[in-house]
Amino acid sequence: MKVLNRGISKENIVGVKKYSKWYKVIDNEIMLIISEEKKNSKKELVNLVQWKNNKALVCLDSEEYRAKFFNKHKDLKVRLFIKLDTGLLYNEYKTIDWDLKDDAIVIELA
């Protein structure tokens, strides 16, 4: 996977202090800001990065939300920022494409 930028704060990604959403749309791009460690109320992972397969699986926990979210934004160019540990900084990864699958939004990484 190709890292485009390392050690970016969420504030620098979205341009706003104390931004709470996991995505931000600016012009024709959607920036997804995810954590590998985020879990839902059932303690199941919400996102999974398959490092060896160059894929990120997003929105694993909610089929209805996942479909609604993707269909609303599918024509936008996706940018992916991943928080790798318990810190506050993110790395940006080069994306190729994204698609809606049965179990997740799949983001192909370069």
Side-chain angles (χ1 to χ4, degrees), residues 55-71:
K55 291 183 182 180
L57 309 177
V58 180
C59 288
L60 294 168
D61 62 332
S62 176
E63 184 176 345
E64 183 179 332
Y65 175 79
R66 172 174 59 241
K68 184 178 177 182
F69 178 85
F70 181 80
N71 288 323

Side-chain angles (χ1 to χ4, degrees), residues 40-85:
N40 63 15
S41 60
K42 298 177 187 174
K43 302 199 186 245
E44 301 166 328
L45 286 175
V46 175
N47 307 304
L48 177 66
V49 180
Q50 296 178 341
W51 297 105
K52 291 183 181 180
N53 296 328
N54 292 337
K55 291 183 182 180
L57 309 177
V58 180
C59 288
L60 294 168
D61 62 332
S62 176
E63 184 176 345
E64 183 179 332
Y65 175 79
R66 172 174 59 241
K68 184 178 177 182
F69 178 85
F70 181 80
N71 288 323
K72 181 177 179 181
H73 300 100
K74 66 183 175 186
D75 295 327
L76 300 175
K77 179 185 177 203
V78 66
R79 292 176 64 189
L80 182 64
F81 298 85
I82 302 173
K83 181 167 53 169
L84 299 175
D85 53 26

Side-chain angles (χ1 to χ4, degrees), residues 1 5 11-12 35 51 97:
M1 281 187 238
N5 294 301
E11 180 181 345
N12 285 337
S35 170
W51 297 105
D97 198 10

